[in-house]
Amino acid sequence: MQLQVTPLGTSAGRPTLVRGASALAISTATGWMMCDCGEGAQTAAQRAGLSLARLDAVLITHLHGDHFNGLPGLLGSLGLDGRERTLTVAGPPGIHEALQTLARVGALGIGPLDLKLLELSGDGGELPGLGVESGLQVSCAPLSHRIATYGYRVSLPDRAGTLDVQKALAAGVPSGPLLGHLKSGRSIRLADGRELSAQDFLGPTQKGMAVAYTLDTVPCEGAKRLGREADLLVHEATYEHARQELARLRGHTTALEAGEIARDAQAKRLLLTHFSPSVRGEELAEEASRVFAGTIAARDGEPVVLESVRGSPAPT
Ligand SMILES: [Zn+2]
């Protein structure tokens, strides 16, 4: 299995000539989800070869314009495309009112689109049923910014362990459908009346690959929780650490602090994004690498591919 993470916009506050406003795609071979939808996200997605028809959900972190302003345009385009399939939009308190207001004044038309809005509250948790085409699972948790903000964890489902066929045959399981039952995790009854539990013949469950998306925020527990042992933690790094005071004042994280969060969460890799136009992403990645070696600076349109080969040690 493969997960592809494509930054669609990596700038903080406003788009620049080389970085769009915040947006990122997480895709499987069959579908995808968008995290944040800053201005220009829909065209960036199409440039990256992503089909809007296969978009399952848009996960909005907060309602600041650089994360939200592309959403009305995207919904409008899906409406013009005549899309009827459900699109889920998850977002913080106020998202329903924001879209309703735009629709009321005539700024948002969604045609036949079946829009399902999930307005998040409290401590977040699982958001079941979103990955209709992609098969992706989603959970969320609050972050700590200047307004209500939620981060997300997007993952593939866990897979049952490998069946030890020789052991099953030796226990008297005949070749055929009963082996298939064991493989899918179901217990079976043999002709001689013995009941066999699948757990006795399966290897350990294989965790589905996971990507955490945590912006905008000051360093917080929610980001660490979402990023726990994630294959990729996508964290904001608006400024370098020398401007920590400014970062805190504006509700942001420095590159060094993002590295510390990835290290503490034992994430496998860290993708920095949400760069102030006043910084160079590569320099911020270097700064974070002092505490977390597996750090990359996001660049618009340059995907990070995650393969489900597990067992490699987490970078420190
Ligand atoms: Zn922002």
Side-chain angles (χ1 to χ4, degrees):
M1 280 298 257
Q2 209 184 63
L3 265 189
Q4 185 161 307
V5 176
T6 310
L8 302 174
T10 59
S11 182
R14 60 191 161 91
T16 70
L17 291 178
V18 289
R19 296 188 186 277
S22 287
L24 176 132
I26 301 173
S27 52
T28 64
T30 51
W32 64 289
M33 293 186 182
M34 184 186 283
C35 297
D36 277 332
C37 191
E39 184 184 339
Q42 59 168 310
T43 43
Q46 290 172 81
R47 269 198 301 276
L50 293 155
S51 156
L52 294 183
R54 289 179 182 265
L55 177 61
D56 277 336
V58 183
L59 312 171
I60 299 289
T61 57
H62 63 300
L63 295 179
H64 280 159
D66 57 322
H67 300 254
F68 174 78
N69 285 349
L71 183 62
L74 170 65
L75 298 177
S77 294
L78 294 175
L80 288 171
D81 286 346
R83 170 168 164 156
E84 296 178 14
R85 183 166 84 79
T86 302
L87 178 84
T88 304
V89 173
I95 193 165
H96 188 260
E97 188 190 345
L99 290 174
Q100 217 170 28
T101 302
L102 289 171
R104 197 181 59 245
V105 299
L108 173 64
I110 62 168
L113 176 66
D114 179 28
L115 180 63
K116 183 176 152 199
L117 211 49
L118 292 180
E119 190 161 297
L120 308 175
S121 61
D123 284 340
E126 305 288 327
L127 303 175
L130 270 59
V132 176
E133 297 268 330
S134 63
L136 292 167
Q137 298 175 333
V138 182
S139 62
C140 66
L143 300 177
S144 183
H145 191 41
R146 305 198 308 274
I147 59 172
T149 301
Y150 284 83
Y152 297 90
R153 184 178 172 104
V154 177
S155 55
L156 288 167
D158 294 345
R159 284 197 297 176
T162 312
L163 177 67
D164 187 338
V165 177
Q166 293 311 321
K167 187 178 176 187
L169 294 174
V173 180
S175 298
L178 286 180
L179 280 177
H181 289 186
L182 282 180
K183 195 174 178 183
S184 63
R186 280 179 284 168
S187 296
I188 59 169
R189 183 190 290 273
L190 298 182
D192 61 12
R194 281 183 297 144
E195 277 211 33
L196 299 180
S197 163
Q199 296 319 312
D200 294 335
F201 300 92
L202 291 173
T205 303
Q206 296 178 336
K207 294 290 285 177
M209 284 188 292
V211 178
Y213 182 81
T214 54
L215 49 147
D216 293 354
T217 187
V218 298
C220 72
E221 277 309 308
K224 249 183 246 179
R225 184 145 49 98
L226 290 167
R228 176 69 48 204
E229 294 177 3
D231 294 84
L232 185 70
L233 169 61
V234 183
H235 201 290
E236 72 133 291
T238 310
Y239 300 107
E240 74 282 9
H241 201 62
R243 285 192 284 172
Q244 184 189 29
E245 210 170 302
L246 177 67
R248 206 56 90 253
L249 194 68
R250 296 184 176 170
H252 292 302
T253 300
T254 69
L256 190 75
E257 291 168 334
E260 289 168 348
I261 289 166
R263 179 195 64 198
D264 295 349
Q266 296 181 293
K268 289 198 167 164
R269 280 202 275 175
L270 170 64
L271 183 68
L272 297 182
T273 187
H274 197 268
F275 300 122
S276 159
S278 63
V279 304
R280 285 193 60 240
E282 289 67 25
E283 286 176 7
L284 264 55
E286 262 177 57
E287 179 177 284
S289 297
R290 283 195 247 143
V291 289
F292 186 79
T295 307
I296 321 160
R299 294 170 77 100
D300 289 37
E302 290 189 12
V304 177
V305 177
L306 306 174
E307 304 275 358
S308 65
V309 181
R310 302 193 64 97
S312 56
T316 54

